[in-house]
Amino acid sequence: MAERSYFDWNATTPLRPQAAAALQAALAVSGNPSSVHAEGRAARALVERAREAVAALVGARPGDVFFTASGTEANMLALTPALETATERRPRDRLLISAIEHSSVRSGGRFASDATADVAVDADGRVDLAALEQAVRGAKRPLVSIMLANNETGVVQPVAEAAAIVHAAGGLLHVDAVQGAGRVLCDIGALGADLMTLSAHKIGGAKGAGALVRRSEDIHIADPLIRGGGQERGMRAGTENVAGIAAFGAAATAAQRAVADEAPRLRALRDALEAGLRAISPEAVIFGAAAERLPNTTLFGVEGLKAETAVIAFDLEGIAVSSGAACSSGKVQPSHVLAAMGLAPALTRGAVRVSLGWTTTPADVEHFLAAWRKLATALSKGPGIAA
Ligand code: PLP
């Protein structure tokens, strides 16, 4: 089989070699991190080393990192009315979430649906700060959730500006940094986040590990999602996924070291891909192109294209991309992100997401463009891959 080109890094990344080595080594450590004997202490040491590495990635203290089984779980843990600070123990009365959040945030966590409201985004896919200001004014003790970067468009959100608005209104800010961490600067203090979600498998770790990070010990979740043995200082019961956590730590360190080199290289490759795309299909629309975006992400649409069919056609050409539309239980739904940006379904039905990562080469970009040239020619000739 010809070489494949993987362009779906926002769905998941391959393991970084350092993470694979850490995973392998940790599998040989048999102890339970809660046990006091030598075997247990060896496992505990792996978990605590990883906690330091994950904390370092986002400029937090290790004691403020709580491991979970996924980014989804960390989002669910964070989004609760029982989020307290040292000076405010009354329940959060309102959850405000941007209209482009991942479905795990869109679910509203543990807030009642009538206590949850959306904050609009502009046509470029950035949170509308005036709408945020108005929304926080209508709440007493809001919790606001805004992602660092969107998983579909890659648009980086004005998180620090949003934090200033939220805090001025007595609110707290949760930031889903699953797509931004390891790709753009992600410092919990500089961003002004009170809580931050991370996921291992988006930065080169293994699937099945995530973390919720808090700004300081001033932030407290009074109703942990999973109770039992008191692991993770009572915030998340259940014996730790030692190998997954060790790999997460190794991936965090590698990502932190690599980001300064990787970001400009990926941006250059992504820009070359977009230039090629526009040359072949001048009518193609690159969503969010006017905003600051992750260096690795392109989401584009062409009227008449059906994204699910395009994904299959690309796959047959040896290329893994994804459709911009979220696919749940086998049914392709229109993208809520593109709908929130006010885009017409005729265009968004054909949204294809191309996301790059550290193994992507110029040859992969050429491979993609050759495949797109074929698809675009087929599209211009008739219904084949059209909607
Ligand atoms: N948040 C964002 C922005 C994501 O893109 C994803 C995964 O696609 C998640 C949360 C969920 O992370 P996990 O796959 O670890 O549950």
Side-chain angles (χ1 to χ4, degrees):
M1 196 174 90
E3 288 260 313
R4 287 188 59 86
S5 297
Y6 185 73
F7 280 106
D8 203 8
W9 292 70
N10 288 10
T12 196
T13 68
L15 275 177
R16 285 186 184 266
Q18 300 89 333
L23 183 86
Q24 195 69 40
L27 286 172
V29 176
S30 60
N32 183 323
S34 296
S35 300
V36 295
H37 45 61
E39 289 81 355
R41 293 198 308 277
R44 169 60 53 201
L46 292 179
V47 171
E48 296 314 316
R49 198 178 311 144
R51 201 184 306 282
E52 285 169 20
V54 171
L57 178 66
V58 298
R61 277 184 301 233
D64 293 321
V65 173
F66 301 92
F67 288 116
T68 63
S70 62
T72 296
E73 187 194 323
N75 282 340
M76 290 297 294
L77 178 61
L79 302 185
T80 173
L83 183 60
E84 301 177 345
T85 68
T87 52
E88 181 57 86
R89 297 238 152 81
R90 287 173 295 175
R92 299 275 130 198
D93 65 324
R94 207 138 176 80
L95 174 66
L96 302 169
I97 55 182
S98 90
I100 55 165
E101 295 299 311
H102 183 262
S103 51
S104 55
V105 169
R106 304 272 315 146
S107 75
R110 290 173 283 160
F111 279 82
S113 55
D114 62 0
T116 304
D118 274 359
V119 178
V121 297
D122 64 20
D124 295 322
R126 282 167 53 99
V127 168
D128 180 338
L129 294 173
L132 174 65
E133 197 143 22
Q134 199 171 6
V136 291
R137 245 186 262 133
K140 291 196 201 77
R141 292 175 300 282
L143 170 61
V144 176
S145 187
I146 294 177
M147 65 205 326
L148 179 53
N150 183 262
N151 44 307
E152 294 185 25
T153 60
V155 171
V156 176
Q157 300 301 316
V159 170
E161 293 93 320
I165 293 169
V166 171
H167 292 150
L172 293 174
L173 179 67
H174 165 253
V175 174
D176 177 344
V178 164
Q179 295 289 346
R183 292 185 177 145
V184 290
L185 196 68
C186 180
D187 181 281
I188 192 166
L191 289 171
D194 296 293
L195 285 170
M196 177 178 277
T197 290
L198 300 172
S199 174
H201 74 102
K202 309 285 186 179
I203 63 165
K207 292 150 195 69
L212 186 64
V213 185
R214 63 181 179 187
R215 158 173 60 77
S216 74
E217 60 188 10
D218 182 38
I219 305 285
H220 177 65
I221 292 170
D223 62 343
L225 205 53
I226 302 178
R227 294 166 211 222
Q231 288 91 345
E232 293 299 293
R233 284 145 295 134
M235 285 281 265
R236 204 281 184 178
T239 301
E240 296 87 341
N241 169 10
V242 176
I245 289 170
F248 190 5
T253 301
Q256 195 183 355
R257 288 196 183 128
V259 67
D261 292 335
E262 276 170 9
R265 195 186 75 84
L266 291 176
R267 190 182 302 282
L269 285 174
R270 192 272 311 268
D271 290 352
L273 186 146
E274 290 187 355
L277 192 61
R278 287 188 205 274
I280 298 164
S281 306
E283 75 284 15
V285 176
I286 294 170
F287 301 112
E292 182 194 345
R293 286 179 295 155
L294 292 176
N296 78 319
T297 307
T298 295
L299 180 70
F300 74 97
V302 172
E303 217 160 294
L305 184 70
K306 198 170 162 195
E308 314 89 89
T309 322
V311 168
I312 294 166
F314 272 118
D315 193 36
L316 292 172
E317 294 292 327
I319 289 167
V321 293
S322 78
S323 95
C327 185
S328 57
S329 44
K331 189 167 168 273
V332 175
Q333 315 269 1
S335 157
H336 69 281
V337 174
L338 296 177
M341 289 163 69
L343 292 153
L347 187 58
T348 64
R349 233 189 343 249
V352 172
R353 183 182 69 187
V354 189
S355 48
L356 292 65
W358 56 87
T359 65
T360 310
T361 62
D364 289 319
V365 172
E366 281 311 312
H367 188 187
F368 171 85
L369 291 173
W372 174 249
R373 201 171 286 115
K374 262 195 188 171
L375 261 69
T377 309
L379 182 63
S380 67
K381 284 196 182 135
I385 57 167

